[in-house]
Amino acid sequence: MHNSWPGGPMRMIMDSEAGDDTRSRKMDFDMASLKSLEETQQSWLLEPAAPKEKKEIDLGCVVCSRKMFFILIGTLFAAGAIVGLSILIYKFAPRKQHHPPPLDNYTIALKMALKFFDAQKSGHLPPSNNISWRSHSGLNDGRDAGVNLTGGYYDAGDNIKFGFPAAYAMTLLSWSVIEYKSKYLAAGELNHAKEIIKWGTDYMLKTFTSSSSTVDRVFAQVGSGNTSSPNDHYCWERPEDMDYPRPAYAVSSAPDLGAEMAAALAAASIVFKDTPAYSRKLITGATNIWTFARRMGNRASYVVGLPEGEVPFYNSTSYWDEFLWGGVWMYYATGNITYLQLITNSALAKNANANGGGPTYGVFSWDNKLIGAQVLLSRLLLVQSPGYPYEQLLREYHNQTQTVMCSYLPQFKKFGVTKGGLTVFMPGQPQLLQYAISNSMVASTYADYMKTFDVPGWTCRNIFYTAETLNIYAQSQVNYVLGHNPMNMSYVVGYGKKYPKQVHHRAASIPKTQTRVKCTEGYKYRDANLPNPHVIEGAMVAGPNRFDKYVDRRSNYQQAEPTLAANAALVGVLVSLSTVTKGGVDTNTIFNAIPPLFQSPPPAQMAP
């Protein structure tokens, strides 16, 4: 084999060894260099490092590093951005609307029942009256007697202003506002109710010299039902069109009317405690008309001073119940202990038949307020407990109140009950609903007293009944009125799908026209078998007969006519049963004027 390397194989071996030696020397050199480099690096690493300069920020009260400062600023900025974004999302993002819960049926009916009073107003009406088919009327009332008797309320479907039932109606409205102010407020009706009361009390103050302590007369009625001709009952005219004589009747003796007016003004003075000047004006008027009512000598019912033809409409059968009823309200409004002495006078209690007896004992109405007074005096006993010498008679009033409450329950059969469940308090009399509702008002209010003041119930013939029993009874009567009856008809106009369409009411039955409808021209509207052109919303008609039958005809006034007294009681029981807000009666407002009572020797008995 040919060898191309010069020198042959030997040369190749030598060269190879020489090359190895050279590589070995280079490696030794490289190792030495590396060792030197490592030593140098180690000397660098072992040598202490120079201290770093800290970057700090002086904030005045504290010093922190720049890094920490920027972290803090960034955090705050991020938090602010998150909060701002959350606010924007909350403000502009679509969300579900929360509406208040729907009103219960009693509250709905309450709001309607108050509107009836707006439809009954006489005088120069304010723009807020909101009854489109009513306007100014009766602007000459009192002119024949040389006084201004404008204002007030028309009593029913006619255009007469009767002082006695109107005063009773205002007392009931004030009583309900005092006890259930929070419910009126929740229903959005407190100001409306107060305005209705003030319209009535403003008129009352015109009917006598309210600022004088020597009252010698009071106007009991404006308009004639039977005496003059033509008169209110003969004509069928809208109040705005009246052109017949409207005599004003003044009476010089009025223990019943005067005491009822005192009750109305005194109760209203409590309602208007937030308007001190007006409240004082009402108390002054109440005190003066009370003095007139209580005047000794020839005490005779106010109807004695009326023409004979006017007597039957609201003939008061006694004035002792008004003395007790009015005395209670005068005491609550003024705190004057002489009123407490009077209403705990055993002679007055006896004259007012407070110990019971008779088929109509316990029936609350415009004519007899005894049970209303006893319920109010039971409240005084439960809350104030005046002690000696008042407590004994107060306990008797309370015991009689419980006896009356037992008589309301159908199982005790004191009063008749229709097959449909309506209590018949005054057999043979019209206005069955008025009596059923007025007594339901006192029953439900008394039940609320017991519940508010932690009285679990009461006993009837050794059987215990809870306070709620009376609320349930009142509900049964109100539910009957609102449509749960054999006619399947609501007797409150405008409530429900079926209600009276031909209400006996002049203003509601005659169309509003540019030309006046004269006295007898209205007969065609009275006699027409057609619905009224105007819905008198909230009016409770007189109601069915004892067989639960109702004839919806305008001429059927014994069933189809509403009244102030009936609607005031309806308002009272509806607000009691309303569930628009929780809670019972207002505990102390009614007693705000009463000073602390301390036991003292028995006072001299006041003459009844």
Side-chain angles (χ1 to χ4, degrees):
M1 174 170 138
H2 174 72
N3 190 346
S4 60
W5 284 95
M10 182 60 73
R11 178 67 181 267
M12 291 177 62
I13 294 171
M14 290 178 65
D15 289 346
S16 175
E17 290 175 351
D20 290 339
D21 184 58
T22 302
R23 283 193 296 272
S24 177
R25 286 198 301 269
K26 287 183 179 179
M27 186 174 293
D28 290 340
F29 176 80
D30 291 339
M31 290 296 294
S33 298
L34 180 60
K35 183 177 181 180
S36 176
L37 177 61
E38 288 177 349
E39 289 175 352
T40 302
Q41 289 175 339
Q42 287 175 3
S43 69
W44 290 347
L45 293 172
L46 292 174
E47 188 176 320
K52 278 188 175 182
E53 182 181 353
K54 293 184 178 180
K55 297 180 180 180
E56 297 175 335
I57 295 177
D58 187 350
L59 299 177
C61 58
V62 67
V63 177
C64 66
S65 69
R66 289 182 64 186
K67 182 177 180 180
M68 185 60 66
F69 174 75
F70 287 120
I71 291 173
L72 179 62
I73 292 298
T75 302
L76 291 175
F77 178 80
I82 292 171
V83 171
L85 184 62
S86 300
I87 292 173
L88 289 174
I89 292 173
Y90 175 80
K91 187 172 182 180
F92 294 106
R95 56 185 179 272
K96 185 178 180 180
Q97 296 291 326
H98 295 283
H99 298 286
L103 296 176
D104 61 280
N105 290 339
Y106 299 130
T107 305
I108 293 170
L110 166 67
K111 295 169 80 71
M112 297 177 69
L114 288 168
K115 291 182 180 180
F116 171 71
F117 292 90
D118 296 325
Q120 295 300 103
K121 285 179 181 174
S122 178
H124 195 281
L125 304 186
S128 60
N129 202 53
N130 289 328
I131 304 295
S132 62
W133 43 274
R134 284 299 325 280
S135 187
H136 315 311
S137 63
L139 301 182
N140 294 322
D141 284 356
R143 183 172 295 182
D144 64 306
V147 293
N148 176 13
L149 294 177
T150 59
Y153 291 97
Y154 300 118
D155 174 66
D158 51 25
N159 302 331
I160 302 175
K161 296 191 290 194
F162 292 106
F164 194 44
Y168 164 78
M170 294 304 107
T171 309
L172 294 194
L173 291 178
S174 291
W175 188 9
S176 71
V177 170
I178 293 166
E179 302 289 16
Y180 302 105
K181 182 178 179 179
S182 62
K183 289 189 177 183
Y184 276 105
L185 191 61
E189 293 292 339
L190 179 59
N191 290 335
H192 186 198
K194 291 175 69 174
E195 188 274 330
I196 289 169
I197 294 167
K198 189 174 185 296
W199 192 267
T201 53
D202 282 350
Y203 172 75
M204 267 187 272
L205 292 172
K206 293 180 178 182
T207 61
F208 66 103
T209 52
S210 60
S211 60
S212 172
S213 60
T214 56
V215 177
D216 59 0
R217 68 174 183 174
V218 58
F219 284 91
Q221 180 177 322
V222 176
S224 170
N226 277 335
T227 305
S228 63
S229 183
N231 57 55
D232 189 88
H233 286 170
Y234 175 77
C235 294
W236 193 268
E237 284 184 283
R238 299 171 66 246
E240 294 78 5
D241 295 339
M242 293 183 298
D243 58 349
Y244 47 83
R246 288 177 55 79
Y249 297 114
V251 296
S252 58
S253 175
D256 34 22
L257 171 60
E260 182 58 64
M261 290 174 64
L265 296 172
S269 75
I270 301 173
V271 171
F272 289 98
K273 279 296 184 185
D274 56 351
T275 312
Y278 189 64
S279 181
R280 288 192 298 269
K281 183 178 181 179
L282 292 171
I283 289 177
T284 298
T287 302
N288 292 335
I289 196 66
W290 174 261
T291 302
F292 168 73
R294 293 273 301 155
R295 189 172 58 189
M296 299 296 291
N298 182 27
R299 283 183 183 168
S301 171
Y302 84 97
V303 297
V304 173
L306 296 176
E308 185 176 355
E310 308 300 330
V311 171
F313 298 118
Y314 286 99
N315 185 10
S316 174
T317 56
S318 172
Y319 52 77
W320 296 106
D321 58 300
E322 277 85 24
F323 279 174
L324 189 60
W325 170 253
V328 174
W329 283 113
M330 290 299 293
Y331 177 56
Y332 287 173
T334 67
N336 187 327
I337 202 166
T338 60
Y339 296 112
L340 179 60
Q341 294 167 3
L342 171 66
I343 58 184
T344 55
N345 182 312
S346 58
L348 174 58
K350 180 180 179 180
N351 288 331
N353 193 32
N355 293 325
T360 61
Y361 177 71
V363 178
F364 186 57
S365 72
W366 59 265
D367 183 36
N368 196 326
K369 293 90 177 183
L370 175 59
I371 184 58
Q374 289 173 322
V375 167
L376 285 168
L377 289 168
S378 295
R379 191 194 210 284
L380 180 66
L381 178 68
L382 292 172
V383 182
Q384 296 279 306
S385 189
Y388 181 83
Y390 313 108
E391 189 160 349
Q392 180 179 351
L393 192 52
L394 289 177
R395 288 200 177 278
E396 291 181 19
Y397 288 139
H398 184 218
N399 291 339
Q400 288 300 315
T401 297
Q402 293 182 321
T403 299
V404 170
M405 295 303 145
C406 295
S407 74
Y408 289 168
L409 302 182
Q411 56 265 42
F412 293 102
K413 299 181 179 179
K414 167 67 184 292
F415 302 105
V417 180
T418 70
K419 289 183 178 180
L422 181 68
T423 304
V424 181
F425 284 96
M426 299 289 284
Q429 297 291 323
Q431 295 280 342
L432 266 70
L433 295 187
Q434 177 181 160
Y435 297 110
I437 289 301
S438 61
N439 289 277
S440 295
M441 175 185 174
V442 294
S444 190
T445 302
Y446 182 66
D448 290 344
Y449 286 174
M450 288 194 285
K451 290 190 289 187
T452 301
F453 307 128
D454 298 322
V455 178
W458 85 113
T459 301
C460 301
R461 298 180 187 174
N462 298 321
I463 302 173
F464 179 79
Y465 292 92
T466 64
E468 186 67 20
T469 305
L470 290 174
N471 291 128
I472 294 171
Y473 165 73
Q475 287 174 354
S476 72
Q477 302 301 289
V478 173
N479 290 346
Y480 183 102
V481 170
L482 296 182
H484 294 272
N485 55 63
M487 296 289 294
N488 293 315
M489 170 185 282
S490 164
Y491 293 114
V492 175
V493 179
Y495 182 89
K497 295 181 179 179
K498 182 182 178 183
Y499 52 83
K501 300 295 195 299
Q502 293 192 36
V503 181
H504 182 90
H505 194 272
R506 286 160 173 75
S509 66
I510 301 175
K512 185 176 182 180
T513 61
Q514 296 296 324
T515 57
R516 186 171 63 84
V517 177
K518 298 180 181 180
C519 176
T520 57
E521 291 176 349
Y523 288 0
K524 63 182 179 182
Y525 301 109
R526 180 194 65 186
D527 301 333
N529 188 15
L530 295 171
N532 288 346
H534 309 298
V535 177
I536 183 165
E537 193 173 24
M540 183 179 74
V541 296
N545 60 23
R546 61 191 178 93
F547 302 109
D548 298 303
K549 299 299 182 182
Y550 180 83
V551 178
D552 189 17
R553 286 302 301 269
R554 197 172 298 106
S555 57
N556 181 21
Y557 67 90
Q558 290 191 327
Q559 291 188 312
E561 188 170 22
T563 66
L564 291 177
N567 253 71
L570 177 64
V571 167
V573 69
L574 286 171
V575 73
S576 172
L577 297 175
S578 165
T579 58
V580 67
T581 186
K582 294 181 180 179
V585 297
D586 184 301
T587 306
N588 294 314
T589 296
I590 201 170
F591 297 136
N592 281 350
I594 299 177
L597 291 172
F598 303 96
Q599 292 189 3
S600 59
Q605 288 282 302
M606 292 185 65

